[in-house]
Amino acid sequence: MKKVISFLLAATMALSLAACGNSGNSGSGDSLTIDLNAFYTEMFNAIFPDPANAPAMSEITGDYLEQTYPGLSEVETKQCLAYAPMITAVAYEIALVEVANADDVAKVQEIFQARIDTQIEGGAFYPATAEAWQNQSEIVTRGNYVALFVGAEKDRMVEAFNAAGQSEAQ
């Protein structure tokens, strides 16, 4: 009987340690909750505290969203927002999506990668902008969330995204 109880306690501890170690980078995403609008606002304001030195970003919606990210409208999303600079010579873009179905994560990753590839292959009008798309873009996935970050502060954006929602998930 002691062996059975010891085994059950050891198994319970192992499962609880595994659950605590999950940072939300994989799995179904059910335990991870991120309000993408709030995240975007907080992240952007933290990275660019002086509006005079921030890129002028505009939300991409409607037909322009479908032109920018072809196929995204076919994916069932819980949250979807994208921002691009008002001036095409500036290489900044942020797209944040929470998919309703975990099977769609790979589809959104493909759509975001196609956006990067299109910009590198001639969609960006200026050589420096195309180079920025090549060297300063990253797609990040956490559970059912997929993000595209483009810009000189890409690493800070990724870091903020990887930290988002952790207090709720733990």
Side-chain angles (χ1 to χ4, degrees), residues 7 14 32 42 68 70 99 105-106 122 147 158:
F7 175 75
L32 180 63
E42 291 169 16
T68 305
V99 295
V105 167
V158 169

Side-chain angles (χ1 to χ4, degrees), residues 108-168:
V108 174
Q109 289 173 312
E110 290 173 13
I111 291 167
F112 286 175
Q113 187 61 53
R115 173 69 175 160
I116 293 169
D117 295 342
T118 298
Q119 292 301 98
I120 292 170
E121 296 166 3
F125 297 115
Y126 305 100
T129 307
E131 184 179 326
W133 274 91
Q134 184 168 8
N135 299 320
Q136 298 173 346
S137 63
E138 187 169 341
I139 300 167
V140 184
T141 302
R142 294 185 63 211
N144 285 359
Y145 296 87
V146 186
L148 168 64
F149 298 107
V150 182
E153 287 81 11
K154 176 232 354 152
D155 292 338
R156 290 181 63 195
M157 292 184 234
V158 169
E159 183 179 313
F161 185 71
N162 283 333
Q166 286 197 358
S167 62
E168 295 92 341

Side-chain angles (χ1 to χ4, degrees), residues 38-49:
F39 165 76
Y40 172 81
T41 301
E42 291 169 16
M43 180 220 36
F44 196 82
N45 291 338
I47 292 174
F48 302 104

Side-chain angles (χ1 to χ4, degrees), residues 56-69:
M57 303 291 277
S58 177
E59 188 171 7
I60 304 171
T61 59
D63 290 339
Y64 187 51
L65 181 65
E66 182 58 26
Q67 291 171 2
T68 305
Y69 298 101

